[in-house]
PDB file of all heavy atoms in Angstrom:
ATOM      1  N   HIS A 265      74.287 -58.456  73.404  1.00  0.00           N
ATOM      2  CA  HIS A 265      73.387 -57.828  74.385  1.00  0.00           C
ATOM      3  C   HIS A 265      73.078 -58.900  75.370  1.00  0.00           C
ATOM      4  O   HIS A 265      73.518 -59.960  75.365  1.00  0.00           O
ATOM      5  CB  HIS A 265      72.065 -57.198  73.716  1.00  0.00           C
ATOM      6  CG  HIS A 265      71.248 -58.222  72.955  1.00  0.00           C
ATOM      7  ND1 HIS A 265      71.726 -59.006  71.921  1.00  0.00           N
ATOM      8  CD2 HIS A 265      69.968 -58.641  73.005  1.00  0.00           C
ATOM      9  CE1 HIS A 265      70.681 -59.763  71.446  1.00  0.00           C
ATOM     10  NE2 HIS A 265      69.584 -59.566  72.143  1.00  0.00           N
ATOM     11  N   HIS A 267      70.200 -60.478  76.546  1.00  0.00           N
ATOM     12  CA  HIS A 267      69.290 -61.571  76.398  1.00  0.00           C
ATOM     13  C   HIS A 267      69.886 -62.966  76.469  1.00  0.00           C
ATOM     14  O   HIS A 267      71.041 -63.240  76.021  1.00  0.00           O
ATOM     15  CB  HIS A 267      68.496 -61.535  75.087  1.00  0.00           C
ATOM     16  CG  HIS A 267      67.560 -60.244  75.002  1.00  0.00           C
ATOM     17  ND1 HIS A 267      67.028 -59.773  73.899  1.00  0.00           N
ATOM     18  CD2 HIS A 267      67.037 -59.465  75.992  1.00  0.00           C
ATOM     19  CE1 HIS A 267      66.235 -58.825  74.136  1.00  0.00           C
ATOM     20  NE2 HIS A 267      66.285 -58.617  75.517  1.00  0.00           N
ATOM     21  N   ASP A 269      69.617 -65.728  75.254  1.00  0.00           N
ATOM     22  CA  ASP A 269      69.961 -66.504  74.009  1.00  0.00           C
ATOM     23  C   ASP A 269      71.141 -65.859  73.355  1.00  0.00           C
ATOM     24  O   ASP A 269      71.672 -66.358  72.282  1.00  0.00           O
ATOM     25  CB  ASP A 269      68.902 -66.630  72.975  1.00  0.00           C
ATOM     26  CG  ASP A 269      68.259 -65.229  72.660  1.00  0.00           C
ATOM     27  OD1 ASP A 269      68.211 -64.418  73.504  1.00  0.00           O
ATOM     28  OD2 ASP A 269      67.813 -64.983  71.517  1.00  0.00           O
ATOM     29  N   HIS A 270      71.803 -64.872  73.907  1.00  0.00           N
ATOM     30  CA  HIS A 270      72.992 -64.197  73.370  1.00  0.00           C
ATOM     31  C   HIS A 270      74.134 -64.254  74.542  1.00  0.00           C
ATOM     32  O   HIS A 270      75.287 -64.345  74.167  1.00  0.00           O
ATOM     33  CB  HIS A 270      72.700 -62.770  72.873  1.00  0.00           C
ATOM     34  CG  HIS A 270      71.740 -62.678  71.766  1.00  0.00           C
ATOM     35  ND1 HIS A 270      72.184 -62.534  70.497  1.00  0.00           N
ATOM     36  CD2 HIS A 270      70.439 -62.978  71.768  1.00  0.00           C
ATOM     37  CE1 HIS A 270      71.116 -62.552  69.730  1.00  0.00           C
ATOM     38  NE2 HIS A 270      70.014 -62.797  70.429  1.00  0.00           N
ATOM     39  N   PHE A 333      73.351 -50.637  68.814  1.00  0.00           N
ATOM     40  CA  PHE A 333      72.275 -51.610  68.637  1.00  0.00           C
ATOM     41  C   PHE A 333      70.909 -50.930  68.927  1.00  0.00           C
ATOM     42  O   PHE A 333      70.887 -50.322  69.998  1.00  0.00           O
ATOM     43  CB  PHE A 333      72.636 -52.763  69.643  1.00  0.00           C
ATOM     44  CG  PHE A 333      71.559 -53.963  69.663  1.00  0.00           C
ATOM     45  CD1 PHE A 333      72.039 -55.297  69.488  1.00  0.00           C
ATOM     46  CD2 PHE A 333      70.226 -53.798  69.981  1.00  0.00           C
ATOM     47  CE1 PHE A 333      71.247 -56.317  69.556  1.00  0.00           C
ATOM     48  CE2 PHE A 333      69.369 -54.823  69.894  1.00  0.00           C
ATOM     49  CZ  PHE A 333      69.971 -56.130  69.806  1.00  0.00           C
ATOM     50  N   GLU A 336      64.529 -53.899  69.859  1.00  0.00           N
ATOM     51  CA  GLU A 336      64.245 -55.023  70.667  1.00  0.00           C
ATOM     52  C   GLU A 336      64.271 -54.647  72.190  1.00  0.00           C
ATOM     53  O   GLU A 336      64.832 -55.105  73.107  1.00  0.00           O
ATOM     54  CB  GLU A 336      65.413 -56.166  70.507  1.00  0.00           C
ATOM     55  CG  GLU A 336      64.763 -57.446  70.598  1.00  0.00           C
ATOM     56  CD  GLU A 336      65.717 -58.681  70.862  1.00  0.00           C
ATOM     57  OE1 GLU A 336      66.867 -58.478  71.266  1.00  0.00           O
ATOM     58  OE2 GLU A 336      65.427 -59.794  70.492  1.00  0.00           O
ATOM     59  N   ASP A 362      69.930 -58.912  66.852  1.00  0.00           N
ATOM     60  CA  ASP A 362      68.406 -58.627  66.826  1.00  0.00           C
ATOM     61  C   ASP A 362      68.128 -57.109  66.695  1.00  0.00           C
ATOM     62  O   ASP A 362      66.993 -56.842  66.837  1.00  0.00           O
ATOM     63  CB  ASP A 362      67.791 -59.230  68.199  1.00  0.00           C
ATOM     64  CG  ASP A 362      68.123 -60.625  68.375  1.00  0.00           C
ATOM     65  OD1 ASP A 362      68.224 -61.361  67.442  1.00  0.00           O
ATOM     66  OD2 ASP A 362      68.178 -60.959  69.641  1.00  0.00           O
ATOM     67  N   GLN A 396      63.315 -61.826  63.136  1.00  0.00           N
ATOM     68  CA  GLN A 396      62.173 -61.863  64.002  1.00  0.00           C
ATOM     69  C   GLN A 396      61.211 -60.793  63.798  1.00  0.00           C
ATOM     70  O   GLN A 396      61.673 -59.575  63.558  1.00  0.00           O
ATOM     71  CB  GLN A 396      62.581 -62.095  65.423  1.00  0.00           C
ATOM     72  CG  GLN A 396      63.284 -60.936  66.038  1.00  0.00           C
ATOM     73  CD  GLN A 396      63.870 -61.227  67.347  1.00  0.00           C
ATOM     74  OE1 GLN A 396      64.158 -62.374  67.704  1.00  0.00           O
ATOM     75  NE2 GLN A 396      63.983 -60.308  68.104  1.00  0.00           N
TER      76      GLN A 396
HETATM   77 FE1  LIG B   1      67.558 -60.386  71.774  1.00  0.00          FE
END
Side-chain angles (χ1 to χ4, degrees):
H265 65 300
H267 288 160
D269 52 325
H270 297 258
F333 178 124
E336 215 193 20
D362 304 330
Q396 67 191 22

